[in-house]
C-alpha cells in the first residue's frame, strides 16, 4: 500500500552532516553526557539529549521551507477526530490565525534549537493541554493528553518530513529514513511521549500509520477549513498600510498556493482517505515548484534561509 514514503534509489544520497550524538539515546545511556555534572544545567540526567549540529532536524526544521510543509502535518493531526475536536473547540486558529501560527512555529523551533530549554518547552506544552477535553465527532470522550492522541500529533511529523525531503530538499535513502525516524523518536521524548507510545522501527511506524489513517482519520470540520482556499484570513499581524490595502488581492493567490502544496505533501494514502483530489497534472506542477524551491532556497544567505531562532542557534553553535 502506498503510504507516501519518498522513493529511494541508489543515486539519491542522504545528506551527511558532521557527526553528532546517536539519535534516540538518553543522557543516562551515554557516557559523559550526564547534565547533572554540568554547572548551571537545568535538565536532569534522564532528560533526552537536545538537538545539535549534525542532526537532520537541525538542518531541516528551521529552514524557511518549513512554512511550506508544516500545514500538511497540521491537516494530518486534525483529521483525527479527537485532535480535530480539540482544535475546533479550544483553539484560537480562527480568531487569531497569525498569532496561533507564530506561537506554534516558535514552539517547534525551541524543540530543535532550544538546547536545555527544549525539554522545558515540552513540559510547558503538556501543561497547556492539561484541560483540553470534550467529545469528538463519534461521540467518544477525548483528552488532549490521552497517549494515543498526543502521540499521533507527534507522529505526523515523520511522514511529512519525508514528503518535504522528496519534493523540497533531497529524498532520503533507506539509511536516511531510519536516521530521521530515530531523531523523530528522540523529539518525541523531548515532548514527553513515552517509548511504548512510539513505533520502535520504520516498519512498525508505517504499520501504525496505515492503521490510524484507515481506522481513525476523517474529513473533520477543521480539515475542511484548512483545505479551503476561499477561507477568510486577515492580513498578517503588524502589516503595513500597503499590505493591508493589497491584501484582498494577495490573499486568494497565497491561499491557493498554500492549499495546493498542503494537498501535495499529504501522504497519498491520507489523501485518499480524506477524499482530497490530486491529479497527474497537480503532481507535475508540484514537482516543478519543488525544483524551483530546491534551486533557490539553498542559495539564500543563511540569515534569510533560516528562521530567527534557528539562525541564532546555528550562529551560536559555530561560535
Amino acid at each position: 500500500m502506498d503510504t507516501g514514503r519518498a522513493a529511494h534509489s541508489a543515486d539519491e544520497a542522504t545528506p551527511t552532516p558532521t557527526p553528532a550524538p546517536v539519535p534516540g539515546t538518553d543522557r543516562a545511556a551515554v557516557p559523559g553526557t550526564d547534565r547533572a555534572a554540568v554547572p548551571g544545567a537545568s535538565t536532569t540526567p534522564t532528560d533526552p539529549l537536545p538537538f545539535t549540529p549534525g542532526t537532520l532536524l537541525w538542518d531541516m526544521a528551521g529552514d524557511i521551507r518549513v512554512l511550506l510543509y508544516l500545514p500538511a502535518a497540521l491537516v494530518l493531526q486534525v483529521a483525527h477526530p479527537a485532535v480535530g475536536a480539540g482544535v475546533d473547540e479550544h483553539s484560537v486558529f480562527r480568531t487569531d490565525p497569525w498569532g496561533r501560527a507564530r506561537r506554534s512555529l516558535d514552539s517547534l523551533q525551541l524543540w530543535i534549537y532550544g538546547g536545555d530549554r527544549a525539554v522545558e518547552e515540552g513540559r510547558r506544552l503538556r501543561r497547556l493541554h492539561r484541560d483540553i477535553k470534550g467529545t469528538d465527532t463519534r461521540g467518544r470522550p477525548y483528552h488532549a493528553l490521552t497517549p494515543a492522541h498526543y502521540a499521533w500529533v507527534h507522529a505526523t511529523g515523520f511522514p511529512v518530513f519525508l514528503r518535504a525531503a522528496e519534493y523540497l530538499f533531497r529524498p532520503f535513502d533507506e539509511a536516511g529514513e531510519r536516521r530521521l525516524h530515530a531523531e523523530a523518536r528522540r523529539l518525541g521524548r523531548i515532548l514527553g511521549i513515552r517509548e511504548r507510545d512510539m513505533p520502535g522501527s520504520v516498519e512498525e511506524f508505517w504499520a501504525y500509520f496505515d492503521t490510524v489513517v484507515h481506522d481513525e482519520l476523517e474529513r473533520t470540520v477543521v480539515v475542511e477549513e484548512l483545505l479551503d482556499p476561499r477561507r477568510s484570513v486577515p492580513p498578517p499581524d503588524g502589516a503595513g498600510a500597503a499590505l493591508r490595502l493589497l491584501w484582498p488581492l494577495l490573499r486568494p493567490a497565497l491561499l491557493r498556493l498554500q492549499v495546493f502544496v498542503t494537498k501535495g505533501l499529504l501522504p497519498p494514502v491520507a489523501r485518499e482517505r480524506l477524499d482530497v483530489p490530486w491529479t497527474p497534472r497537480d503532481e507535475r506542477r508540484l514537482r516543478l515548484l519543488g525544483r524551483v524551491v530546491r534551486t533557490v532556497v539553498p542559495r539564500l544567505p543563511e540569515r534569510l534561509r533560516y528562521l530567527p531562532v534557528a539562525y541564532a542557534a546555528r550562529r551560536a553553535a559555530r561560535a
Side-chain angles (χ1 to χ4, degrees):
M1 179 173 294
D2 186 355
T3 57
R5 283 166 280 184
H8 305 307
S9 64
D11 60 346
E12 291 172 338
T14 304
T16 53
T18 54
V22 178
T25 56
D26 288 343
R27 286 193 178 89
V30 182
T33 58
D34 185 342
R35 285 295 181 93
V38 180
S42 60
T43 54
T44 69
T46 57
D47 282 332
L49 284 165
F51 285 90
T52 57
T55 54
L56 298 174
L57 291 180
W58 182 270
D59 286 332
M60 289 182 67
D63 188 294
I64 58 171
R65 285 170 278 192
V66 70
L67 301 176
L68 291 174
Y69 64 79
L70 198 59
L74 179 57
V75 168
L76 283 179
Q77 291 166 16
V78 299
H80 191 292
V83 181
V87 171
D88 184 30
E89 297 169 4
H90 297 275
S91 176
V92 297
F93 82 98
R94 295 185 181 97
T95 57
D96 184 22
W98 294 102
R100 181 69 185 86
R102 184 182 64 253
R103 290 188 293 273
S104 294
L105 197 58
D106 288 346
S107 182
L108 183 150
Q109 297 295 288
L110 279 177
W111 306 345
I112 308 299
Y113 303 101
D116 288 340
R117 292 183 298 160
V119 172
E120 177 51 39
E121 177 62 11
R123 294 176 182 139
R124 186 191 71 84
L125 286 176
R126 294 186 71 85
R127 293 193 298 269
L128 187 67
H129 289 82
R130 205 165 37 196
D131 298 323
I132 297 178
K133 54 187 175 182
T135 303
D136 69 16
T137 55
R138 301 181 188 181
R140 302 173 300 187
Y142 72 82
H143 190 285
L145 294 181
T146 297
H149 305 159
Y150 208 67
W152 171 250
V153 172
H154 161 259
T156 59
F158 177 62
V160 170
F161 268 118
L162 288 177
R163 298 283 290 172
E166 180 180 359
Y167 290 89
L168 306 176
F169 293 84
R170 286 190 296 168
F172 288 106
D173 60 13
E174 183 178 353
E177 184 175 345
R178 293 185 184 281
R179 182 179 173 189
L180 181 65
H181 181 258
E183 291 190 16
R185 283 173 51 84
R186 177 175 169 181
L187 178 58
R189 287 192 289 274
I190 288 175
L191 297 178
I193 299 173
R194 301 174 301 188
E195 291 279 351
R196 65 176 178 269
D197 294 323
M198 295 184 287
S201 67
V202 170
E203 291 77 13
E204 290 175 5
F205 177 87
W206 290 118
Y208 156 79
F209 184 78
D210 284 347
T211 297
V212 175
V213 168
H214 287 95
D215 294 351
E216 291 289 346
L217 298 198
E218 62 184 43
R219 198 175 172 106
T220 64
V221 64
V222 184
V223 170
E224 289 281 1
E225 291 183 47
L226 294 179
L227 295 182
D228 182 3
R230 298 163 300 176
R231 69 183 186 271
S232 176
V233 177
D237 299 339
L243 180 55
R244 289 184 176 278
L245 182 64
L246 293 173
W247 187 247
L249 300 176
L250 295 175
R251 178 181 59 82
L254 292 174
L255 282 179
R256 283 197 299 270
L257 175 62
Q258 185 254 311
V259 170
F260 170 72
V261 174
T262 299
K263 290 179 176 179
L265 295 184
L266 287 173
V269 68
R271 278 203 305 255
E272 181 180 352
R273 174 65 176 170
L274 300 176
D275 194 25
V276 174
W278 190 253
T279 67
R281 180 172 178 268
D282 290 331
E283 182 68 16
R284 291 193 297 271
R285 291 169 61 207
L286 182 61
R287 292 195 177 275
L288 176 60
L289 175 64
R291 285 197 293 272
V292 173
V293 170
R294 289 196 305 270
T295 301
V296 173
V297 174
R299 289 171 169 76
L300 294 175
E302 189 178 32
R303 63 183 176 83
L304 298 179
R305 179 179 170 186
Y306 284 91
L307 298 173
V309 173
Y311 176 59
R314 292 170 68 86
R315 289 191 63 189
R318 286 196 297 270

